[in-house]
Amino acid sequence: MLNLFETAHISASKKRILNSALILFVEKGFFSTSIPDLVRHSGVSTGSIYHAFKDKESLATQLMQHLLETIEAEQLDVLGQHTGVKARYFALVRWMLQFAERYPEAEQFILYARHKEFMPGLAPICSSKPFMILRDVIQEGQDEGVLRPMDVMVASSIAYGSVLRLIQLSLDGVLTTPLMSHFDELTEAAWRALAVETSD
Amino acid sequence: MLNLFETAHISASKKRILNSALILFVEKGFFSTSIPDLVRHSGVSTGSIYHAFKDKESLATQLMQHLLETIEAEQLDVLGQHTGVKARYFALVRWMLQFAERYPEAEQFILYARHKEFMPGLAPICSSKPFMILRDVIQEGQDEGVLRPMDVMVASSIAYGSVLRLIQLSLDGVLTTPLMSHFDELTEAAWRALAVETSD
DNA sequence: GTCTATACTCAGATAGAC
DNA sequence: GTCTATCTGAGTATAGAC
């Protein structure tokens, strides 16, 4: 699998620890992953783990922050390559599906983790920048009159809830076909629900 | 809040333990809820908890099974009161929103809990009966030609992913307006995405 | 910065009286 | 069936050499 931390500006040990933590936290869960588990998987000793991170909770928090920053950067990159609400929405959904296919562990960690359970200091995921970026595209479409006027939370739930649900089904192994193979069907249906006119 | 276990045919102690477990598991999480926590909250002693349940994991599993059975019964009740795909879909979504409003803890436990993390013996939630009942309504609509022909998983994601997302936003405190106030907007938008004809 | 060895805490589970 | 008291082991985190 691809390593999300390869290009980050952090020490080699930190990278290995973060990478192992991501894999083990998703596979076994935060609480069922012990420090000895991390030592075995990463090849880094207990002492070095505690040298790099204050404690286990801080490790999880930094992992999440790193993932959210990466995601935000990719989203802004996608937005920079497209103009107009329809193109932007379709491109963002494409990116969401592709990200889930490329980095399934990262996707699972972000979507599934009960963050407040072991990262009480971190803001809830729904308040994070990446989720606001998604919502703002919908708001923008409503302001421009391209999307039907409706509660922006409801519109966002239609626009992205369906996508996240499909991703979840795929991560859970219920959906066995490739995520991207459903891109057209999914986006066209969602667009039909949201857009003012059916023909474009 | 309403007690979901009041009418169940189980001993008084079991009811109190299950009720406390539901509340604490949602509030603090499974692993951060200790047996002493449960003893304090439920007023039932350690010995009695272990008399009623094999271990902590079994307690969580039985809690989940009980919730799923209750939900399945309510869903079948809703289906029995309606015929035709449109009426059934709308009624099911109404029930979903109302259930989340009445039993937020139960809803959170079912939606958020990383089940495989502490209930490895239980089938994943997406394979559970309640989720199959929801999907079958969509399948039925496609077979009848009322809904557009498309991958049933994609259609289900549109139909229910949007609803579940809105419920999640509400449970997370991001959506502050009552869930049911969005019923019309939500169902009409989803129906527009799924149905063969826009006017009914 | 990295490691090994170790101390300390506390949760899960049991024993056995009532 | 309910309780109190207790055991045991696992896991986090630290100390201190290299």
Side-chain angles (χ1 to χ4, degrees), chain B residues 117-188:
Chain B
E117 195 169 328
F118 56 91
M119 298 182 289
L122 209 64
I125 192 71
C126 296
S127 314
S128 68
K129 205 90 190 291
F131 278 89
M132 289 167 62
I133 289 175
L134 295 178
R135 193 203 53 201
D136 288 348
V137 171
I138 299 300
Q139 182 69 65
E140 189 188 339
Q142 291 187 345
D143 294 343
E144 289 179 11
V146 178
L147 299 184
R148 291 165 181 267
M150 53 194 290
D151 187 292
V152 71
M153 295 306 245
V154 177
S156 292
S157 296
I158 298 264
Y160 305 112
S162 50
V163 180
L164 294 170
R165 180 83 192 138
L166 199 70
I167 289 173
Q168 249 182 28
L169 292 172
S170 176
L171 293 172
D172 284 0
V174 179
L175 183 78
T176 51
T177 43
L179 269 174
M180 271 306 292
S181 68
H182 303 291
F183 173 74
D184 290 337
E185 233 174 32
L186 183 63
T187 46
E188 279 162 23

Side-chain angles (χ1 to χ4, degrees), chain B residues 36-58:
Chain B
D37 286 338
L38 282 168
V39 170
R40 265 187 298 278
H41 191 277
S42 67
V44 177
S45 68
T46 310
S48 295
I49 291 177
Y50 278 94
H51 178 79
F53 301 95
K54 181 177 159 284
D55 54 21
K56 202 179 155 191
E57 181 186 316
S58 163

Side-chain angles (χ1 to χ4, degrees), chain B residues 84-101:
Chain B
V85 171
K86 184 168 186 180
R88 285 185 156 184
Y89 172 65
F90 277 57
L92 277 177
V93 173
R94 176 185 293 277
W95 166 82
M96 287 169 79
L97 297 177
Q98 285 174 339
F99 186 90
E101 277 183 340

Side-chain angles (χ1 to χ4, degrees), chain A residues 19-149:
Chain A
N19 189 50
S20 293
L22 176 58
I23 293 168
L24 293 176
F25 288 172
V26 168
E27 186 185 316
K28 305 155 64 86
F30 175 80
F31 292 100
S32 301
T33 300
S34 66
I35 303 295
D37 286 338
L38 282 167
V39 170
R40 265 187 298 278
H41 192 278
S42 67
V44 177
S45 68
T46 310
S48 295
I49 292 177
Y50 280 93
H51 179 77
F53 301 94
K54 181 177 160 285
D55 53 22
K56 201 179 153 190
E57 181 187 315
S58 164
L59 166 53
T61 305
Q62 287 192 45
L63 173 58
M64 176 60 80
Q65 282 173 340
H66 189 83
L67 293 179
L68 289 178
E69 278 166 23
T70 304
I71 284 173
E72 187 189 338
E74 291 203 11
Q75 282 181 337
L76 293 176
D77 186 50
V78 169
L79 287 184
Q81 291 175 24
H82 298 270
T83 53
V85 171
K86 185 168 185 178
R88 285 185 155 185
Y89 172 66
F90 276 59
L92 277 176
V93 173
R94 176 186 293 277
W95 166 81
M96 285 170 80
L97 296 177
Q98 285 173 338
F99 186 90
E101 276 183 340
R102 283 199 302 165
Y103 305 111
E105 291 90 353
E107 185 79 30
Q108 283 201 60
F109 184 71
I110 290 166
L111 290 187
Y112 278 71
R114 301 221 37 207
H115 308 117
K116 73 166 179 182
E117 196 169 326
F118 55 92
M119 297 183 289
L122 208 65
I125 191 73
C126 297
S127 314
S128 67
K129 205 89 190 292
F131 278 89
M132 288 167 63
I133 289 175
L134 294 179
R135 194 202 52 201
D136 288 348
V137 170
I138 299 301
Q139 182 70 64
E140 187 189 340
Q142 292 188 344
D143 293 344
E144 289 179 12
V146 178
L147 300 183
R148 294 165 181 266

